[in-house]
Amino acid sequence: MTKIIDGKLISAAFKEKIAEAIISLKAEQNITPGLAVVLVGADPASDVYVRSKGVATKKAGMNSYEHRLPAETTEEELLALIENLNNDDAVDGILVQSPVPDQINYQAVVDVIDPNKDVDGFHPINAGNLLIGSQGFVACTPLGCSILLKHTLGDLTGLDAIIIGRSTIVGKPMAMLLLQQNCTVTIAHSRTKDLDKKCAQADIVVAAVGRPEMVKKDWIKQGATVIDVGINRMGSTETGKAKLVGDVAFEEVSEIAGAITPVPGGVGPMTIACLMYNTLKAACDRRDLDIPDVFDEFL
Ligand code: NAD
């Protein structure tokens, strides 16, 4: 029977450990980690993400600092704010919600974030550390996918994995994480030929494309594990709310996969949990404190 990988349940257990670690950090070191989230403009989806990050931060017992800037903010103004946050000792993690308005170069902003506070793991130093297998911050979504895979399959050594999507925030770091775990990795993208046939050979399929229900049943090998990163907002339902669907045709793929993540309730909750973990890690690393080893069972 197909296993539904419950990201809500797994992230709840992970967040519980994070909250416990934060209680100890406060009690033993008098440290409360802080996460600063910057939103420029009023994109409705970004607004929801920023709000849920703030809620999760406070629930974990950390300080949340929200900076909401008008859509006409210049790149210079945003860079000045980042400089302040870099120098603010109460701030352990900094995240700039994407997308940013056209007048701002997102990568230029990421480049000035102190790599030791780069809890998104998007700074070139952290991306490079992942590439060479050094310590650093790993981007939250691929880290969350990796935790789900470990939880579902245990040791991934020798498995064939295909990642559909080569973005710097999901596809590429995901490939690095799976390589580290001794998978044989294929990275597919919009120019890949015979994608369905390549997918059908994989033990693990990670879909990070942004195309609703693109991955079909006949793309999947019997018993494969399918991780659906996609979040696609479909037209209003009767309740007036947008329906979320993934990049995988969940109903039909469930008939053949060994395990599959739902959308919502799969990768999404893990992304936020990993952001909390990275913020805790930043607070510990910056003060040369060891992060508790209770996380070994997840990572
Ligand atoms: P992106 O647009 O940066 O990258 C999409 C990738 O898909 C590109 O590398 C492109 O080459 C590839 N692609 C496009 N069309 C394709 C096709 N027909 N066949 C094969 N490959 C194709 O997107 P992203 O930022 O990596 O995000 C991907 C999806 O994941 C989006 O739906 C996004 O909303 C979602 N996402 C979810 C989370 C989460 O927490 N669950 C986090 C980040 C992104």
Side-chain angles (χ1 to χ4, degrees):
M1 214 181 80
T2 304
K3 180 185 158 113
I4 307 299
I5 305 171
D6 189 341
K8 275 194 198 161
L9 204 71
I10 300 165
S11 66
F14 190 40
K15 283 192 286 191
E16 204 176 297
K17 298 276 183 227
I18 295 166
E20 283 168 19
I22 289 165
I23 290 172
S24 310
L25 203 57
K26 279 186 194 173
E28 291 159 21
Q29 308 284 344
N30 197 24
I31 293 164
T32 303
L35 173 64
V37 176
V38 182
L39 174 64
V40 187
D43 176 66
S46 296
D47 183 66
V48 173
Y49 290 140
V50 166
R51 237 179 304 142
S52 52
K53 284 166 188 174
V55 169
T57 306
K58 287 180 209 149
K59 223 169 158 187
M62 301 191 276
N63 291 325
S64 165
Y65 308 105
E66 256 180 49
H67 295 266
R68 289 171 177 269
L69 307 181
E72 57 276 12
T73 301
T74 63
E75 187 172 305
E76 256 186 344
E77 287 166 333
L78 181 54
L79 294 180
L81 171 63
I82 303 295
E83 268 318 316
N84 285 340
L85 296 173
N86 282 343
N87 295 324
D88 185 343
D89 207 39
V91 172
D92 294 292
I94 303 169
L95 177 158
V96 178
Q97 186 65 46
S98 72
V100 289
D102 289 347
Q103 73 274 15
I104 297 172
N105 175 345
Y106 181 66
Q107 191 57 50
V109 176
V110 169
D111 288 354
V112 301
I113 295 176
D114 178 345
N116 298 311
K117 296 187 176 188
D118 168 41
V119 286
D120 253 344
F122 296 166
H123 191 284
I125 293 213
N126 285 314
N129 277 332
L130 178 62
L131 186 76
I132 63 172
S134 270
Q135 279 292 316
F137 292 104
V138 177
C140 301
T141 299
L143 182 60
C145 295
S146 171
I147 293 173
L148 293 179
L149 284 168
K150 181 175 175 183
H151 188 270
T152 308
L153 295 170
D155 187 3
L156 307 184
T157 298
L159 296 179
D160 291 323
I162 188 163
I163 298 152
I164 319 176
R166 58 175 163 184
S167 71
T168 47
I169 64 166
V170 187
K172 285 179 192 163
M174 188 74 241
M176 291 306 123
L177 285 173
L178 291 177
L179 264 183
Q180 276 178 8
Q181 289 165 68
N182 304 314
C183 289
T184 303
V185 179
T186 301
I187 307 176
H189 47 78
S190 53
R191 309 285 179 89
T192 297
K193 283 189 263 170
D194 300 325
L195 179 56
D196 54 344
K197 293 187 185 67
K198 290 187 169 83
C199 264
Q201 296 182 354
D203 304 303
I204 296 171
V205 176
V206 179
V209 187
R211 290 184 175 245
E213 303 187 328
M214 185 182 91
V215 177
K216 307 291 187 207
K217 181 180 175 181
D218 59 358
W219 294 30
I220 301 298
K221 180 164 95 175
Q222 179 85 43
T225 300
V226 179
I227 304 290
D228 190 352
V229 180
I231 301 178
N232 305 289
R233 286 182 169 73
M234 307 304 281
S236 307
T237 59
E238 308 82 63
T239 60
K241 277 191 177 171
K243 182 178 180 243
L244 295 187
V245 302
D247 290 343
V248 177
F250 181 83
E251 293 301 331
E252 59 174 76
V253 170
S254 299
E255 292 170 13
I256 192 162
I260 183 167
T261 58
V263 176
V267 173
M270 292 307 298
T271 298
I272 295 221
C274 289
L275 177 64
M276 300 302 108
Y277 172 76
N278 277 351
T279 306
L280 168 66
K281 176 175 153 52
C284 292
D285 288 357
R286 289 177 61 230
R287 297 166 176 93
D288 260 338
L289 299 170
D290 288 332
I291 192 144
D293 53 15
V294 291
F295 296 107
D296 293 352
E297 65 170 292
F298 291 96
L299 299 168

